[in-house]
């Protein structure tokens, strides 16, 4: 299971009850589609597995996407690094950096590869540009693209229309699901199924989180959102994740929080600024600022309980070096560092909470990602903003298109 412990005083139920009703109304309205993706995935899983079963020659799946079209998949790839039932490698192209593009393309043999082009709108400049680069790199003709490409997009988008004209298989994102909330849609399910990850367990974990929040009325997400959104001096949330496996998840968390909650409201600028760290490494860099710098941060610790696969630190004794960690499981050492840092920050009267995963598997990852989607929606309601648009990003896109037309 997932446990979330709050190391600050909870607010009264009366204060959060109105927000509980509003988020319940939002999910029941059907206007925001991510709430129900866990109920819609079975058919998508079957369709994905049926499609890839006809392509046994595929050894590498290359996902091309930006932002919400890639961050969640990258997160799960890192988290589920040893939980696969086939040997297909998942590669991700998520930037127009010639360095990373050339490095990935060097690894690929066309006859062993399948490319997934993901763009919700079907018009993402970076994604379409990378699509064209791949075509040129392998000297492909348009009439053979259907052998090597799959599209994931909105139905009736330009990418869908192009796919139909070229005979390319298209998977669809529901119209009412925004990109950064789309990990449990085709955006995540299709590449995960292609590469042997347990998509069913992922959806089951998300469903468990849905039930805990909406059916069992567990209030920890609302309590945390209320405390962090109404904090008088702290508008920065630091996610301190204790495992290198969380590196991709941290990127997803930053995109989800920043793009959802950073908004203008008239002349006011609102938001909860996300910072993501990896423990114990970043104890030796950013922690000093949290401890002794401005008290404008709340801190969420994230750790994994299960340590069975970690090696023991050898019982080796030196004349001048200490032996404190001798015989300790390496993962237990990491978690002890997490606990020690948390207690140090609590002693500084900072607002802290701890998320503990029982183990790192698809079920717990589904629960965790849905947890953060709910947390983001709750924060948006409490800040009084539209959580699901990104007008600031759109301005930059328009300027880019004007620059490219010159």
């Amino acid at each position: 299971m997932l446990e979330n412990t709050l190391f600050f005083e909870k607010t009264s139920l009366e204060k959060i009850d109105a927000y509980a009703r509003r988020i319940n109304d939002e999910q029941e309205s059907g206007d925001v589609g991510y709430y129900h993706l866990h109920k819609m995935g079975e058919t998508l899983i079957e369709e994905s597995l049926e499609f890839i079963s006809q392509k046994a020659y595929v050894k590498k799946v290359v996902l091309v996407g930006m932002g919400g079209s890639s961050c969640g998949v990258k997160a799960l790839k890192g988290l589920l690094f040893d939980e696969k039932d086939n040997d297909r490698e998942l590669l991700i192209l998520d930037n127009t950096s010639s360095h990373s593009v050339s490095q990935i393309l060097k690894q690929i043999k066309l006859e062993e590869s399948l490319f997934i082009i993901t763009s919700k709108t079907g018009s993402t400049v970076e994604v379409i540009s990378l699509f064209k680069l791949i075509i040129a790199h392998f000297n492909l003709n348009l009439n053979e693209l259907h052998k090597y490409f799959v599209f994931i997009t909105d139905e009736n988008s330009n990418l869908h229309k192009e796919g139909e004209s070229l005979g390319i298989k298209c998977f669809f994102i529901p119209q009412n699901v925004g990109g950064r909330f789309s990990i449990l849609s085709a955006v995540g399910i299709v590449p995960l199924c292609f590469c042997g990850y347990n998509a069913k367990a992922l959806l089951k974990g998300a469903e468990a989180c849905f039930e805990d929040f909406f059916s069992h009325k567990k209030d920890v997400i609302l309590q945390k959102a209320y405390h962090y959104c109404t904090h008088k001096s702290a508008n920065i949330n630091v996610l301190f994740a204790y495992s290198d496996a969380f590196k991709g998840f941290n990127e997803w968390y930053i995109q989800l929080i920043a793009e959802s909650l950073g908004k203008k409201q008239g002349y006011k600028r609102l938001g909860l600024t996300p910072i993501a760290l990896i423990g114990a490494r970043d104890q030796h860099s950013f922690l000093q600022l949290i401890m002794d710098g401005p008290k404008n941060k709340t801190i969420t610790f994230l750790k994994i309980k299960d340590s069975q696969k970690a090696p023991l630190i050898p019982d080796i004794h030196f004349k001048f070096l200490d032996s404190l960690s001798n015989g300790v499981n390496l993962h237990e050492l990491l978690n002890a560092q997490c606990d020690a840092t948390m207690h140090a920050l609590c002693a500084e009267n900072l607002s802290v909470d701890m998320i503990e995963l029982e183990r790192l598997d698809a079920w717990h990852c589904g629960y965790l990602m849905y947890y953060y989607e709910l947390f983001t929606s709750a924060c948006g309601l409490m800040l009084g903003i539209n959580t699901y648009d990104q007008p600031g990003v759109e301005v930059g896109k328009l300027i880019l298109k004007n620059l490219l037309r010159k």
Side-chain angles (χ1 to χ4, degrees):
M1 292 297 292
L2 179 148
E3 295 180 21
N4 189 193
T5 307
L6 310 179
F7 294 93
F8 50 79
E9 187 176 352
K10 289 186 176 183
T11 192
S12 65
L13 292 177
E14 289 77 14
K15 286 185 178 179
I16 63 171
D17 186 56
Y19 296 112
R21 290 196 301 270
R22 287 175 62 190
I23 198 169
N24 188 67
D25 290 344
E26 185 174 87
Q27 70 91 6
E28 287 184 345
S29 72
D31 295 335
V32 180
Y34 89 83
Y35 286 113
H36 303 288
L37 287 174
H38 61 277
K39 302 175 184 177
M40 304 161 57
E42 194 70 32
T43 301
L44 181 59
I45 290 172
E46 292 175 3
E47 184 182 0
S48 301
L49 293 176
E50 171 63 24
F51 178 84
I52 199 64
S53 69
Q54 301 170 31
K55 297 185 178 294
Y57 59 87
V58 172
K59 295 182 179 179
K60 293 183 187 292
V61 175
V62 185
L63 171 64
V64 181
M66 298 290 293
S69 296
S70 60
C71 281
V73 179
K74 182 187 284 188
L76 288 168
K77 178 187 175 184
L79 292 168
L80 303 176
F81 57 92
D82 64 349
E83 195 180 85
K84 292 168 91 271
D85 66 8
N86 69 42
D87 294 327
R88 288 194 190 95
E89 184 179 3
L90 176 60
L91 302 173
I92 299 174
L93 275 172
D94 62 349
N95 199 7
T96 49
S97 164
S98 57
H99 174 76
S100 56
V101 172
S102 61
Q103 289 298 310
I104 287 181
L105 290 180
K106 284 178 184 177
Q107 303 175 42
I108 296 170
K109 295 179 180 178
L110 178 64
E111 65 276 10
E112 298 176 351
S113 301
L114 179 67
F115 297 88
I116 302 174
I117 307 299
T118 303
S119 170
K120 179 172 172 61
T121 63
S123 58
T124 310
V125 171
E126 299 94 333
V127 173
I128 303 307
S129 299
L130 291 171
F131 176 38
K132 293 176 181 178
L133 277 171
I134 294 167
I135 293 171
H137 178 81
F138 292 107
N139 196 28
L140 291 168
N141 296 316
L142 296 185
N143 60 8
E144 58 181 334
L145 297 186
H146 66 279
K147 301 176 186 177
Y148 307 107
F149 288 90
V150 167
F151 291 168
I152 300 176
T153 187
D154 275 357
E155 193 168 8
N156 296 320
S157 72
N158 286 339
L159 188 60
H160 173 210
K161 294 172 184 176
E162 200 67 57
E164 281 197 324
S165 71
L166 295 169
I168 294 173
K169 171 67 175 177
C170 293
F171 293 90
F172 299 120
I173 307 164
Q175 296 279 352
N176 61 353
V177 174
R180 58 188 174 274
F181 288 86
S182 65
I183 183 57
L184 299 178
S185 74
V187 169
I189 298 301
V190 171
L192 292 173
C193 284
F194 284 1
C195 294
Y197 295 97
N198 192 343
K200 287 185 179 180
L202 185 78
L203 295 174
K204 286 293 184 184
E207 182 180 17
C209 186
F210 176 94
E211 292 297 327
D212 279 347
F213 186 84
F214 289 110
S215 300
H216 306 314
K217 309 297 182 185
K218 292 186 178 180
D219 70 344
V220 65
I221 291 175
L222 291 171
Q223 290 283 358
K224 175 176 168 177
Y226 184 84
H227 184 82
Y228 288 177
C229 287
T230 62
H231 201 291
K232 292 181 179 179
S233 59
N235 62 357
I236 298 170
N237 180 237
V238 178
L239 176 62
F240 219 144
Y242 275 71
S243 172
D244 287 337
F246 288 115
K247 183 178 179 182
F249 179 82
N250 282 2
E251 292 183 24
W252 177 80
Y253 152 81
I254 288 173
Q255 197 235 355
L256 179 68
I257 298 294
E259 200 167 54
S260 298
L261 302 182
K263 302 290 166 65
K264 287 180 183 177
Q265 195 178 68
Y267 291 103
K268 293 174 66 178
R269 292 173 179 262
L270 303 171
L272 189 65
T273 300
I275 292 174
L277 308 175
I278 294 291
R281 183 186 307 116
D282 289 328
Q283 290 179 192
H284 300 273
S285 59
F286 205 91
L287 179 58
Q288 174 61 36
L289 177 64
I290 302 174
M291 282 290 292
D292 292 348
K295 289 190 173 182
N296 58 356
K297 304 166 194 70
T298 59
I299 305 94
T300 298
F301 287 89
L302 175 58
K303 72 176 184 179
I304 308 156
K305 287 184 179 180
D306 183 23
S307 61
Q308 293 180 5
K309 296 181 181 179
L312 289 178
I313 298 167
D315 189 22
I316 298 173
H317 295 267
F318 295 99
K319 186 175 182 180
F320 299 106
L321 304 179
D322 73 55
S323 303
L324 287 174
S325 63
N326 283 13
V328 176
N329 177 301
L330 191 61
H331 190 73
E332 290 173 352
L333 173 61
L334 183 68
N335 280 350
Q337 291 172 294
C338 176
D339 293 344
T341 304
M342 182 198 70
H343 288 303
L345 295 181
C346 286
E348 290 293 319
N349 293 317
L350 294 166
S351 294
V352 171
D353 73 286
M354 170 76 80
I355 297 174
E356 297 176 272
L357 302 180
E358 189 66 37
R359 64 186 62 86
L360 203 54
D361 59 20
W363 189 95
H364 285 85
C365 290
Y367 195 113
L368 178 66
M369 297 186 91
Y370 198 85
Y371 165 101
Y372 262 103
E373 289 178 333
L374 287 175
F375 173 74
T376 305
S377 292
C379 287
L381 288 173
M382 292 171 185
L383 291 171
I385 59 173
N386 182 347
T387 310
Y388 309 106
D389 66 356
Q390 51 279 334
V393 178
E394 301 306 324
V395 172
K397 290 180 180 178
L398 289 173
I399 294 172
L400 172 63
K401 289 180 179 179
N402 288 331
L403 288 173
L404 292 175
R405 289 190 183 105
K406 291 182 179 179

